[in-house]
Amino acid sequence: MTRCRGCAAEIGPTEVPDCPTHRRKQGRPLTNADIAVLALEASHAPISLYDIRRIFHREFGWAPGEMSLNATVAQDRRCCWAGRGIYGLWRHGLAPGPRRLLDAARLVLSSRDASLTQDELAFTLRHIGYRFQAATLHRLLAQSPTITEPSWHRYTANSVGAPLHLELGLPLSAFETVTKRVARQTRAALKERRRRLATDRGLTGDDPVFTEGKLNTSAPYS
Ligand SMILES: [Zn+2]
């Protein structure tokens, strides 16, 4: 595992060990994008663009305009989208690439061989760290041609259009690393969801629990 030279944190496939925090300590020049990453490196969790700009200003005595900084952060593949106007890093559990909820949902679905229910997908996305309204996800699943419903209320990624790694702006090797971790996070999230459902029903973790779709009855309206 590669670690940040400045922060010792695990670094992601779109980051370099020679991080902005480290470069700043050495007195080397930083771009605006580097400074945004530096602000994220100083945070334990994803933060808003507003906070990135505030930290930028606090540390360097000036900051680019809001629109300019937003564009810089959105274009930088080290910065990971976590929700409307919220960004984090690989070390916060997020994936580089997605810039909207649809991208994140497609990434989770494409990392799996099996389909997910809307509830499983929503739980997984929140578990990974994405913030969104349930209604937004509902609308995306119903309307996006890049997500299909192979059986009643179960969703899977559709391979129409350009390969996902190109749409996410990731080199294939980075995409593979990202997908592997997202698949692991998804398995962990689904396990946690089952555990909570079992707890809610007063069962132990070993008792069989019915979860949606597990009966595999034929879809009534397909
Ligand atoms: Zn660092």
Side-chain angles (χ1 to χ4, degrees):
M1 187 197 302
T2 318
R3 293 194 173 274
C4 242
R5 246 176 245 165
C7 336
E10 180 192 352
I11 65 158
T14 55
E15 296 175 287
V16 290
D18 206 9
C19 75
T21 301
H22 180 64
R23 289 212 299 278
R24 186 187 188 192
K25 280 178 194 155
Q26 295 184 315
R28 286 154 64 190
L30 299 171
T31 63
N32 289 351
D34 288 336
I35 296 175
V37 171
L38 185 143
L40 294 174
E41 287 203 314
S43 308
H44 294 296
I47 55 175
S48 66
L49 285 161
Y50 175 85
D51 282 327
I52 293 174
R53 191 158 176 270
R54 198 175 49 79
I55 295 168
F56 195 125
H57 199 281
R58 189 189 67 204
E59 296 295 316
F60 293 87
W62 77 283
E66 213 174 298
M67 299 286 281
S68 159
L69 186 63
N70 294 4
T72 299
V73 170
Q75 281 161 24
D76 193 286
R77 291 295 151 193
R78 294 169 292 182
C79 303
C80 307
W81 182 90
R84 188 186 285 260
I86 306 167
Y87 284 85
L89 297 170
W90 174 264
R91 69 193 60 174
H92 301 133
L94 297 166
R99 287 296 181 260
R100 53 191 178 144
L101 188 60
L102 177 60
D103 296 338
R106 289 177 67 200
L107 186 57
V108 167
L109 291 173
S110 72
S111 77
R112 278 178 70 75
D113 295 327
S115 57
L116 290 175
T117 64
Q118 183 175 319
D119 194 59
E120 287 168 339
L121 179 59
F123 187 93
T124 299
L125 287 166
R126 291 214 166 92
H127 203 256
I128 291 174
Y130 294 106
R131 297 180 212 174
F132 57 91
Q133 305 279 329
T136 309
L137 182 64
H138 183 75
R139 199 174 56 241
L140 290 179
L141 294 180
Q143 293 174 355
S144 174
T146 57
I147 291 177
T148 44
E149 194 178 349
S151 61
W152 182 241
H153 281 190
R154 299 194 66 83
Y155 299 90
T156 188
N158 189 332
S159 56
V160 296
L164 189 54
H165 77 275
L166 292 181
E167 286 199 26
L168 298 180
L170 296 173
L172 200 51
S173 60
F175 179 73
E176 280 166 6
T177 305
V178 168
T179 300
K180 251 184 227 161
R181 189 171 79 164
V182 168
R184 271 206 314 278
Q185 290 173 313
T186 303
R187 284 195 299 274
L190 294 176
K191 193 174 166 194
E192 172 61 16
R193 181 174 170 276
R194 281 195 300 274
R195 191 191 67 76
R196 288 193 202 172
L197 286 172
T199 307
D200 288 350
R201 291 168 198 182
L203 304 168
T204 70
D206 296 332
D207 286 329
V209 175
F210 171 79
T211 52
E212 298 94 298
K214 281 287 157 68
L215 289 182
N216 279 331
T217 51
S218 58
Y221 300 106
S222 62

